[in-house]
């Protein structure tokens, strides 16, 4: 439990164990439960989305997101480079190909790993983080079990090895 609390603090999770939801990036009032498909800005309602969609803020946020991803890819560890880049679109991060997805689903090793509730909790914390790349880096760097899971996952979807 202590390790989980440390993890939550490192990833910016609420101390009360509640769900991690960013505030709406448009009105800054309600919880931003949705994300703009163009720039990933959190929003709370159709009204906020309509006011954001096509705005200069959306275009700027999208450009900043693309620059951040390009910089992260340039300094990325060989283990994670090119994991399922698939169709080359970078707007949603990495995409696994249908073949890679099949390998993940069929992998008995991954199925065994995913039975571990602590590992699933770390995955959920990374997924719920406002900055998933930073959260993933933090998780890999500070949790041996998660780091090993990521290595096994990379080996499963890229059996010939990660590109260098």
């Amino acid at each position: 439990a202590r390790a989980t609390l440390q993890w939550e603090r490192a990833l910016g999770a609420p101390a009360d164990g509640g769900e991690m939801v960013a505030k709406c990036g448009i009105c800054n009032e309600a919880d931003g439960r949705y994300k703009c498909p163009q720039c990933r800005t959190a929003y709370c309602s159709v009204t906020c989305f309509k006011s954001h969609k096509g705005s200069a803020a959306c275009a700027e946020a999208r450009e900043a997101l693309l620059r951040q991803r390009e910089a992260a890819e340039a300094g990325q560890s060989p283990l994670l480079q090119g994991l399922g880049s698939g169709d080359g679109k970078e707007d949603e991060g990495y995409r696994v190909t249908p073949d890679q997805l099949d390998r993940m689903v069929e992998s008995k090793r991954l199925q065994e790993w995913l039975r571990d509730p602590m590992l699933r909790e770390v995955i959920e914390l990374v997924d719920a983080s406002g900055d998933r790349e930073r959260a993933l880096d933090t998780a890999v760097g500070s949790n041996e079990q998660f780091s090993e899971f990521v290595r096994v996952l990379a080996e499963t979807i890229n059996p010939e090895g990660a590109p260098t």
Side-chain angles (χ1 to χ4, degrees):
R2 183 176 175 188
T4 300
L5 183 57
Q6 289 171 336
W7 250 96
E8 289 173 345
R9 287 183 182 145
L11 297 177
D16 64 0
E19 187 178 336
M20 291 183 358
V21 177
K23 286 288 182 194
C24 175
I26 290 58
C27 70
N28 291 318
E29 292 176 13
D31 288 343
R33 298 207 173 266
Y34 313 101
K35 290 196 177 184
C36 171
Q38 296 300 312
C39 69
R40 310 299 292 156
T41 297
Y43 65 93
C44 65
S45 65
V46 172
T47 303
C48 282
F49 177 71
K50 284 182 177 180
S51 71
H52 170 73
K53 181 179 165 185
S55 69
C58 181
E60 289 171 14
R62 177 162 171 70
E63 287 300 315
L65 182 63
L66 289 173
R67 283 192 304 274
Q68 180 185 23
R69 286 200 174 128
E70 288 169 2
E73 287 173 4
Q76 197 172 51
S77 74
L79 180 65
L80 298 177
Q81 284 179 351
L83 289 184
S85 345
D87 59 11
K89 293 181 183 176
E90 297 301 323
D91 63 325
E92 291 291 323
Y94 298 110
R95 294 179 187 257
V96 295
T97 65
D99 288 340
Q100 290 171 323
L101 184 59
D102 288 343
R103 285 195 290 269
M104 285 191 293
V105 169
E106 294 167 3
S107 170
K108 299 295 182 202
R109 285 175 74 191
L110 288 179
Q111 290 174 19
E112 190 63 35
W113 275 97
L114 291 170
R115 286 188 183 100
D116 184 321
M118 290 294 286
L119 180 66
R120 288 198 320 261
E121 185 176 348
V122 172
I123 293 168
E124 289 173 7
L125 286 169
V126 169
D127 185 52
S129 173
D131 185 349
R132 289 185 182 127
E133 285 187 48
R134 189 181 118 246
L136 178 63
D137 289 343
T138 301
V140 168
S142 63
N143 184 308
E144 263 184 63
Q145 181 184 19
F146 184 74
S147 180
E148 180 65 13
F149 169 75
V150 170
R151 187 188 64 73
V152 169
L153 176 62
E155 288 175 356
T156 301
I157 66 174
N158 288 322
E160 55 282 340
T164 56

